[in-house]
Amino acid sequence: MLQEGSGPAPPGGHQGLALGGLRDPGGQPSPSPALSLPQGVPVLFMRSDGGLTPMGAFSGSRAILSGPAGGVVGYAVTTYRREGGQPVIGFDMGGTSTDVSRYAGEYEHVFEATTAGISIQAPQLDINTVAAGGGSQLFFRSGLFVVGPESAGAHPGPTCYRKGGPLTVTDANLCLGRLLPEYFPCIFGPDEDQPLSRDATLQAFRDLSADISASLGPGSALSLEEVAMGFIRVANEAMCRPIRALTQARGHDTSRHVLACFGGAGGQHACAIARTLGMSKVFIHKYSGILSAYGLALADVVHEAQEPSALVYAPESYARLEERISALEQECIRALEAQGFARAQISTEAFLHLRYERTDCALMCSAKDHPATPSSCRSGNFEASFAARYSREFGFTIPGRAILVDDIRVRGTATTGLGQEEPVAAAKAAAHMEKVTRCYFEGGYQDTCVYLLEHLSWGHSIPGPSILIDQNSTILVEPGCTAVVTRLGDICITVGSGVVRPVGPRLDPIQLSIFSHRFMSIAEQMGRILQRTAISTNIKERLDFSCALFGPEGGLVSNAPHIPVHLGAMQETVQFQIRNLGANLREGDVILSNHPRAGGSHLPDLTVITPVFWPGEPRPVFFVASRGHHADIGGITPGSMPPHSHSLQEEGAVFISFKLVKDGVFQEEEVTKALMAPGQIPGSSGTRNLHDNLSDLRAQVAANQKGIHLVNELIGHYGLEVVQAYMAHIQANAEVAVQEMLRDFARRQGEPGRPLLVEAEDFMDDGSPIRLKVAVDPEEGKATFDFTGSGHEVHGNCNAPRAITLSALIYCLRCMVGRDIPLNQVSRAAGWRWRWW
């Protein structure tokens, strides 16, 4: 993007030029354009942290998210201020992906992130990306409607681009009448001189609809509009997941936010996204199609200075901290003054990178809202800031533990003073309607009014359904919603309830895909709560934990992408508790287990299981569970994983069906006794870190409680019968998916008409062999895993119980087929068999 007017404006000089996210139409970095500028005009680059920096200080690693960061600045400066300080969710939907972020008065930064598998330690705005954009491809796979992550790109682009591209979300909107080709320039086709092709899109959807109807069988045929609408609903649900992660999983109420929608494709989905999330207002800036570029012009010029520290945050260190903060502030001021800014334009903010002693989770804290006290630094009460943020992020603090200062950082900001917009003229007559078209919504086709934004004025109110068009974007105002033009020419949409589509227990492939996302979201949010509220390094930083949702019989329904060996074995743990406790499982109970015969992996992996009850149902309707690796639970060596143990008791505390919570009361005294019990064995010790054990167990209970809340919310919306029916549908669909993958694997690797046999052999440290032969039936799509010839059980701790063996088989299966497979119970109940002699 190239945007003028972003630099300082010295008297008699020229404003600067802001650059960020330069890309060619195919999405690849383009060479810098030859800029012919008057002498002395500064060139500024956008960074991932939302600030501008001069060319000489520019670093590529700090600009990876420069484009999305411009959008965050854009809606922070516009939407947040114009909506009276109400928290805002940014929804930036482009061609290949959608970026979501949150702004509530200050930018939310992260200081380490992984992009394309590369870990980058640099300040950047907290932006979550999901692979669902206008160019995301549409698939019907194994009975599911799938959107992305593959993208059509700029070339060949969607089917409607006339270059032989695949069906995409853009095609689905075109098919439903939500995009009007006559308002697009004629730049498509091989010679880039033709309009969008609605005919090509409709023909491709006819072909896909025929394939889907043939797969579903008689009586289940779907029209091409139903198919296109189904893909739109699935794409919307995929884009809602990261928004829930930004809000619900962090303790914020999604419905209390404004949805700031921008990006070329965002306006077509804004009302549906807001309605799904319970949000009542959508704000669309008049430059929404190019808000990321506009945000570059509004951004401040930033200079940061940072240095490492090894001080304890205590009174004896305050003088040294003040000295270093002052030195870094002067460095930032000098750097910004050298760029032509007056001292009055410059402000600084100090940060300390703080963490509790014996933890690895450091938080970059500002004292902005925590003024100095007689017992704090002169720069502010950083200890109060750290405690407040730690409590907000993780749900607890650690009183009495020393706080360490890892880094001292100062952020200097020079305000350009840009961003003043002129109001538009007030409406003097009714809004001019261009035409009436037909658009497809949940209730079928409806007459939809079309307006050009350039002909709308302040005060015009546009009821839905309607389409608002400008040169850079198309905004869909859905039925039940009303758009109003604001004083500055922006669009504010009040979102109504709309048509509630009834959902029954009968299988609907579109609803199946939506439920798949909802179930997965439950497990993901459980994982985030566990990470936030745990205290140990193993769970909070190393992420050695897993969360999952199980059906009433203990079958795995959904899981977040956590630890593979956990996810394959946790089902065994839940089913063991159902068999072992039966009617003794009551509401308000939480079970703790780690025993190998109860589905455990190794003893430090403690599994916490909570039954989910529903009014009127005598038995649990679901189960939620979390498994986390505790650093120590006693035994003959620290860490509870001795290499030379010969009995479970030597490895630490053992739990089979221990009621961690009974009738809603956390059994701290009893679990403490159990964790200290290994100390009664000669040469052994009880747990060496009881405080962390108890804190992490409470965190696992809290994660399960979040899962229960989300399951109950889902049941409250759809009804128990429907939710459990789709649980069964998803498990049945997984069976079909695994069988198809096995058939495909056999066809690719084997000979036609013959079973495929693959085998491998490996050895343990003591020489014991592990032999595995896998026979795949290409007709039935089933596999037999045969361990004949493997070594006998060893007199030590390297033996695989049933649960671990099943986990290993699922892992082998995923490696063989080369694709993600459903990890719920049917991937083994119907897809494969195993034997071990």
Side-chain angles (χ1 to χ4, degrees):
M1 306 298 301
L2 185 62
Q3 183 70 35
E4 291 190 55
S6 297
H14 295 273
Q15 290 186 335
L17 203 66
L19 294 162
L22 287 168
R23 302 232 162 228
D24 68 15
Q28 300 300 316
S30 65
S32 299
L35 298 176
S36 178
L37 300 174
Q39 186 175 3
V41 174
V43 178
L44 303 171
F45 286 83
M46 188 66 170
R47 301 194 308 189
S48 302
D49 63 357
L52 295 169
T53 190
M55 182 184 298
F58 177 75
S59 170
S61 64
R62 288 177 172 251
I64 291 175
L65 293 180
S66 58
V72 176
V73 173
Y75 80 75
V77 174
T78 57
T79 306
Y80 181 77
R81 294 177 183 175
R82 295 172 193 176
E83 290 302 316
Q86 188 174 352
V88 182
I89 293 293
F91 178 75
D92 178 6
M93 185 177 178
T96 58
S97 62
T98 297
D99 297 315
V100 300
S101 53
R102 181 178 183 270
Y103 184 82
E106 61 182 25
Y107 295 114
E108 298 184 4
H109 289 94
V110 294
F111 296 88
E112 181 174 357
T114 300
T115 302
I118 305 298
S119 182
I120 299 171
Q121 292 184 329
Q124 55 186 265
L125 294 174
D126 190 3
I127 300 171
N128 292 338
T129 301
V130 60
S136 294
Q137 296 184 36
L138 311 180
F139 306 96
F140 184 73
R141 290 175 177 163
S142 306
L144 284 174
F145 281 61
V146 179
V147 177
E150 299 89 341
S151 174
H155 180 81
T159 299
C160 59
Y161 279 20
R162 299 177 182 264
K163 294 182 180 179
L167 279 175
T168 67
V169 173
T170 295
D171 290 301
N173 280 311
L174 179 62
C175 174
L176 299 174
R178 302 175 176 199
L179 294 177
L180 305 179
E182 59 267 34
Y183 291 95
F184 282 75
C186 294
I187 57 173
F188 305 100
D191 297 325
E192 300 181 352
D193 59 354
Q194 300 180 61
L196 287 173
S197 175
R198 190 166 190 268
D199 290 339
T201 291
L202 292 178
Q203 184 56 51
F205 267 112
R206 290 189 191 99
D207 296 340
L208 180 59
S209 300
D211 293 340
I212 293 174
S213 297
S215 174
L216 298 178
S220 301
L222 298 176
S223 67
L224 64 90
E225 290 88 357
E226 289 173 325
V227 169
M229 190 67 190
F231 280 114
I232 293 294
R233 291 172 58 201
V234 172
N236 289 343
E237 187 59 43
M239 291 182 285
C240 285
R241 277 174 59 183
I243 296 177
R244 293 190 180 101
L246 273 178
T247 53
Q248 292 178 354
R250 298 183 180 180
H252 305 297
D253 185 349
T254 311
S255 64
R256 296 182 180 274
H257 291 69
V258 175
L259 185 68
C261 195
F262 55 104
Q268 299 150 42
H269 298 258
C271 292
I273 294 290
R275 181 181 289 126
T276 299
L277 295 169
M279 303 166 77
S280 60
K281 186 180 292 186
V282 174
F283 188 94
I284 302 178
H285 193 270
K286 60 186 174 185
Y287 301 139
S288 64
I290 54 170
L291 190 64
S292 291
Y294 185 63
L296 299 184
L298 302 179
D300 296 326
V301 178
V302 170
H303 181 86
E304 289 189 346
Q306 181 171 324
E307 65 179 35
S309 173
L311 298 173
V312 177
Y313 188 81
E316 56 268 23
S317 303
Y318 290 167
R320 177 62 176 170
L321 287 172
E322 290 292 348
E323 175 190 338
R324 299 315 306 155
I325 288 173
S326 178
L328 295 177
E329 285 177 341
Q330 291 304 311
E331 179 183 334
C332 291
I333 292 170
R334 287 194 299 270
L336 292 171
E337 287 179 336
Q339 297 179 47
F341 288 98
R343 180 64 182 87
Q345 293 177 277
I346 301 172
S347 61
T348 62
E349 185 174 5
F351 298 83
L352 296 183
H353 205 198
L354 303 174
R355 63 182 173 89
Y356 282 118
E357 189 177 30
R358 303 197 310 275
T359 71
D360 289 340
C361 184
L363 299 176
M364 191 68 76
C365 298
S366 162
K368 179 180 179 181
D369 297 321
H370 299 273
T373 67
S375 59
S376 74
C377 287
R378 293 196 306 272
S379 298
N381 192 344
F382 287 96
E383 182 176 6
S385 173
F386 174 70
R389 185 172 172 194
Y390 203 94
S391 178
R392 183 174 68 249
E393 288 282 332
F394 307 124
F396 65 92
T397 58
I398 313 177
R401 187 174 292 190
I403 299 173
L404 307 182
V405 183
D406 282 348
D407 300 279
I408 304 169
R409 170 174 164 251
V410 172
R411 180 181 175 92
T413 302
T415 304
T416 61
L418 300 176
Q420 299 297 323
E421 299 181 44
E422 294 295 326
V424 298
K428 298 180 180 179
H432 173 70
M433 182 178 64
E434 293 293 316
K435 60 182 289 189
V436 176
T437 188
R438 298 278 287 172
C439 285
Y440 189 90
F441 298 97
E442 290 289 357
Y445 277 103
Q446 295 189 39
D447 288 339
T448 303
C449 301
V450 178
Y451 300 87
L452 296 183
L453 277 174
E454 61 190 64
H455 294 160
L456 297 180
S457 302
W458 171 24
H460 275 143
S461 179
I462 310 296
S466 58
I467 296 175
L468 313 181
I469 299 175
D470 71 1
Q471 293 182 348
N472 298 301
S473 63
T474 298
I475 301 169
L476 178 69
V477 184
E478 296 198 0
C481 302
T482 302
V484 175
V485 181
T486 70
R487 178 173 172 270
L488 294 176
D490 306 317
I491 303 297
C492 186
I493 302 177
T494 301
V495 181
S497 59
V499 176
V500 179
R501 188 175 185 271
V503 178
R506 186 170 179 266
L507 175 61
D508 177 337
I510 300 168
Q511 202 65 44
L512 181 69
S513 304
I514 292 173
F515 265 101
S516 178
H517 282 286
R518 293 300 297 270
F519 285 140
M520 182 71 76
S521 179
I522 291 173
E524 289 174 345
Q525 291 193 53
M526 288 174 62
R528 289 186 175 93
I529 292 293
L530 178 53
Q531 183 186 0
R532 281 181 55 216
T533 55
I535 194 172
S536 70
T537 300
N538 274 352
I539 294 178
K540 183 176 292 294
E541 279 91 29
R542 291 183 56 237
L543 307 182
D544 193 351
F545 67 85
S546 298
C547 298
L549 172 67
F550 302 84
E553 305 304 323
L556 181 62
V557 176
S558 69
N559 59 269
H562 294 148
I563 307 298
V565 71
H566 289 177
L567 298 170
M570 285 173 71
Q571 175 174 290
E572 293 288 312
T573 306
V574 176
Q575 291 177 337
F576 177 88
Q577 303 307 325
I578 295 173
R579 294 192 303 269
N580 196 42
L581 294 176
N584 196 26
L585 270 173
R586 300 185 181 90
E587 190 168 8
D589 290 349
V590 179
I591 310 304
L592 172 63
S593 181
N594 68 344
H595 198 288
R597 72 179 177 91
S601 40
H602 56 182
L603 288 192
D605 282 344
L606 300 184
T607 305
V608 174
I609 305 162
T610 308
V612 182
F613 287 86
W614 186 253
E617 296 295 324
R619 298 178 63 247
V621 295
F622 283 95
F623 289 86
V624 290
S626 55
R627 176 172 289 185
H629 184 110
H630 288 238
D632 192 285
I633 57 169
I636 59 177
T637 62
S640 305
M641 292 190 293
H644 52 282
S645 59
H646 295 87
S647 68
L648 284 178
Q649 288 72 21
E650 293 178 324
E651 298 191 354
V654 180
F655 303 93
I656 297 179
S657 297
F658 183 88
K659 287 201 174 182
L660 180 63
V661 177
K662 190 173 183 180
D663 298 326
V665 179
F666 187 82
Q667 305 295 302
E668 182 170 345
E669 183 177 347
E670 287 75 7
V671 75
T672 298
K673 289 179 181 177
L675 287 167
M676 300 305 297
Q680 301 172 10
I681 301 172
S684 186
S685 169
T687 179
R688 300 165 181 85
N689 204 347
L690 178 63
H691 179 265
D692 284 10
N693 292 136
L694 295 177
S695 296
D696 284 355
L697 287 173
R698 289 191 181 97
Q700 290 179 258
V701 172
N704 288 6
Q705 195 61 36
K706 179 66 174 181
I708 292 173
H709 171 75
L710 294 173
V711 169
N712 287 337
E713 186 179 86
L714 193 63
I715 295 174
H717 183 76
Y718 289 102
L720 178 61
E721 181 187 14
V722 171
V723 174
Q724 288 194 328
Y726 273 92
M727 172 202 73
H729 293 327
I730 285 173
Q731 292 174 333
N733 172 263
E735 174 184 343
V736 173
V738 172
Q739 289 178 342
E740 286 185 0
M741 291 179 189
L742 287 172
R743 291 191 188 99
D744 179 66
F745 175 71
R747 283 194 294 268
R748 286 187 287 109
Q749 302 293 331
E751 299 179 11
R754 299 184 61 183
L756 173 65
L757 182 66
V758 293
E759 55 185 307
E761 181 179 28
D762 205 343
F763 295 90
M764 297 173 60
D765 290 346
D766 65 357
S768 299
I770 300 177
R771 296 190 177 98
L772 174 62
K773 295 181 180 179
V774 183
V776 183
D777 187 332
E779 300 300 325
E780 295 187 16
K782 294 186 177 182
T784 301
F785 290 72
D786 189 350
F787 287 90
T788 300
S790 294
H792 296 285
E793 181 178 0
V794 301
H795 184 59
N797 55 17
C798 287
N799 293 297
R802 171 186 166 89
I804 295 300
T805 304
L806 296 178
S807 293
L809 297 191
I810 293 178
Y811 185 78
C812 290
L813 191 60
R814 297 183 73 178
C815 293
M816 286 165 46
V817 300
R819 285 173 55 187
D820 286 342
I821 66 170
L823 287 181
N824 58 33
Q825 65 171 0
V826 297
S827 62
R828 68 167 195 259
W832 50 268
R833 304 177 295 276
W834 67 286
R835 60 176 180 263
W836 191 337
W837 291 307

